[in-house]
């Protein structure tokens, strides 16, 4: 059964998954912008999903995104960059194996930003049907979060965080829209 999260809602993913949760897939999907571009044709928006890894004492010690696809401990893998959002289903995915996450990492923050948003004059108010969802190791959806609600002027969204609680991981939906020019801009909000 899928849980549709709202801002601030917490869910213990280990307990929600039938047989516990050791691996997950975070999927990002969106539709193309239906507004005509400067030189005709449809505008494309390039959304990028990323995970920021943090320790108890330092935020953003490592980032997994389209340019750095595998974490140092090999627990997180970005499967590739979709530049348009064209097609059905997930446009980008990040795979996480919680059993391999380094012990010093206690927080995995899921973020999404619009690539080159300032130059293209784009924001999340223009993006339709954008979502992030969490799938268990059997590809069953556990959690879904709608990105297009209440983020009209944002160029980035802090979707939520996986936080280590002993041997389990808890997910908190944050849903905070922010203005960033690239992935490094998120550090100011962590």
């Amino acid at each position: 059964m899928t849980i549709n999260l709202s801002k601030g809602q917490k869910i213990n993913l280990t307990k929600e998954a039938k047989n516990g949760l050791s691996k997950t897939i975070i999927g990002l999907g969106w539709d193309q912008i239906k507004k005509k571009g400067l030189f005709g044709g449809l505008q494309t928006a390039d959304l990028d999903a990323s995970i920021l890894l943090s320790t108890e004492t330092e935020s953003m010690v490592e980032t997994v995104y389209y340019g750095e696809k595998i974490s140092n401990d090999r627990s997180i893998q970005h499967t590739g960059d979709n530049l348009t959002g064209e097609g059905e289903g997930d446009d980008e995915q990040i795979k996480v194996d919680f059993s391999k996450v380094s012990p010093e990492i206690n927080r995995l923050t899921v973020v999404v930003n619009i690539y080159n948003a300032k130059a293209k004059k784009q924001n999340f108010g223009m993006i339709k049907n954008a979502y992030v969802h969490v799938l268990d190791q059997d590809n069953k959806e556990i959690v879904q979060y709608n990105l297009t609600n209440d983020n009209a002027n944002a160029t980035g969204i802090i979707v939520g965080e996986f936080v280590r609680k002993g041997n389990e991981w808890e997910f908190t939906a944050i849903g905070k829209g922010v203005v960033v020019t690239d992935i490094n801009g998120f550090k100011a909000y962590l």
Side-chain angles (χ1 to χ4, degrees), residues 149-167:
N149 292 345
D150 304 325
N151 292 305
N153 296 317
T155 57
I157 298 176
I158 302 170
V159 176
E161 292 181 330
F162 293 95
V163 178
R164 190 191 304 259
K165 302 284 185 181
N167 293 328

Side-chain angles (χ1 to χ4, degrees), residues 105-143:
I105 300 297
N106 71 327
R107 187 169 31 127
L108 307 174
T109 305
V110 179
V111 298
V112 176
N113 66 292
I114 302 171
Y115 179 79
N116 213 12
K118 186 176 180 180
K120 290 183 174 184
K121 297 182 179 162
Q122 295 176 341
N123 59 55
F124 274 95
M126 303 167 79
I127 311 296
K128 302 297 176 215
N129 302 318
Y131 67 87
V132 168
H133 65 174
V134 178
L135 308 173
D136 67 13
Q137 54 263 17
D138 299 320
N139 281 336
K140 291 193 176 27
E141 186 176 69
I142 303 170
V143 175

Side-chain angles (χ1 to χ4, degrees), residues 1-177:
M1 181 173 107
T2 300
I3 296 173
N4 290 309
L5 288 180
S6 55
K7 286 183 185 182
Q9 185 177 357
K10 290 184 181 183
I11 178 174
N12 185 314
L13 292 177
T14 307
K15 291 179 182 172
E16 287 299 324
K18 268 186 179 179
N19 302 315
L21 188 68
S22 60
K23 295 180 182 178
T24 190
I25 297 172
I26 298 148
L28 164 65
W30 73 97
D31 289 341
Q32 292 183 7
I33 297 173
K34 302 295 184 204
K35 176 183 163 190
K36 290 215 179 259
L38 183 61
F39 300 106
L42 294 178
Q43 279 190 0
T44 58
D46 177 6
L47 273 58
D48 292 320
S50 308
I51 292 186
L52 315 175
L53 291 78
S54 302
T55 65
E56 286 282 342
T57 58
E58 190 177 352
S59 62
M60 215 165 133
V61 294
E62 184 179 2
T63 305
V64 176
Y65 68 110
Y66 68 87
E68 194 67 46
K69 292 184 181 164
I70 299 176
S71 62
N72 291 333
D73 61 12
R74 311 196 74 67
S75 65
I76 303 171
Q77 177 187 0
H78 193 294
T79 62
D81 191 17
N82 181 313
L83 304 177
T84 64
E86 191 172 10
E88 295 296 315
D90 292 347
D91 297 307
E92 292 189 10
Q93 290 187 333
I94 301 174
K95 297 178 180 181
V96 180
D97 184 341
F98 292 108
S99 67
K100 292 182 179 179
V101 175
S102 295
E104 67 272 5
I105 300 297
N106 71 327
R107 187 169 31 127
L108 307 174
T109 305
V110 179
V111 298
V112 176
N113 66 292
I114 302 171
Y115 179 79
N116 213 12
K118 186 176 180 180
K120 290 183 174 184
K121 297 182 179 162
Q122 295 176 341
N123 59 55
F124 274 95
M126 303 167 79
I127 311 296
K128 302 297 176 215
N129 302 318
Y131 67 87
V132 168
H133 65 174
V134 178
L135 308 173
D136 67 13
Q137 54 263 17
D138 299 320
N139 281 336
K140 291 193 176 27
E141 186 176 69
I142 303 170
V143 175
Q144 182 168 23
Y145 190 74
N146 181 339
L147 298 179
T148 53
N149 292 345
D150 304 325
N151 292 305
N153 296 317
T155 57
I157 298 176
I158 302 170
V159 176
E161 292 181 330
F162 293 95
V163 178
R164 190 191 304 259
K165 302 284 185 181
N167 293 328
E168 297 181 345
W169 289 86
E170 184 175 86
F171 183 78
T172 301
I174 296 173
K176 180 177 182 172

Side-chain angles (χ1 to χ4, degrees), residues 170-184:
E170 184 175 86
F171 183 78
T172 301
I174 296 173
K176 180 177 182 172
V178 296
V179 176
V180 295
T181 54
D182 60 29
I183 193 167
N184 294 316

